[in-house]
Amino acid sequence: MRKIDISKLIDAETVLTEKYGAPGSESRREFDEKAHAYYYGVILRDRRKELKMTQKELAEKVGTARSYIARVERGETDMQLSSFLRIANALRINFTPTFA
């Protein structure tokens, strides 16, 4: 059995700080925004596929271009809340936003 030297393990926060900067820095904020966009895109893509819907079909339901849906699913666009809500509605994703 292989032994692991625990003293050499580092946590995710250390890796993120080294690569993207400290929390609150401009570079870290940019990374976090891109990570969130990608995460939301994955959720929408997975749901679209679950419904066996093409990007073109979703785009037609939402009233946008297929290329826009592709960019959203790859996390490559700064999606407005209104666009997210239209796409989520077309995918029958129900949620209630809460504000703290």
Side-chain angles (χ1 to χ4, degrees), residues 37-80:
Y38 177 80
Y39 174 71
Y40 296 134
V42 167
I43 291 170
L44 296 173
R45 182 197 66 218
D46 289 350
R47 176 63 176 160
R48 176 183 60 77
K49 288 183 174 185
E50 183 180 296
L51 295 173
K52 297 180 180 8
M53 187 183 299
T54 66
Q55 288 179 341
K56 183 179 179 185
E57 290 168 334
L58 177 58
E60 288 170 356
K61 279 186 147 194
V62 174
T64 190
R66 187 211 56 82
S67 60
Y68 177 73
I69 298 298
R71 287 193 315 275
V72 165
E73 289 183 356
R74 290 190 307 263
E76 295 176 351
T77 186
D78 187 13
M79 184 174 30
Q80 294 181 352

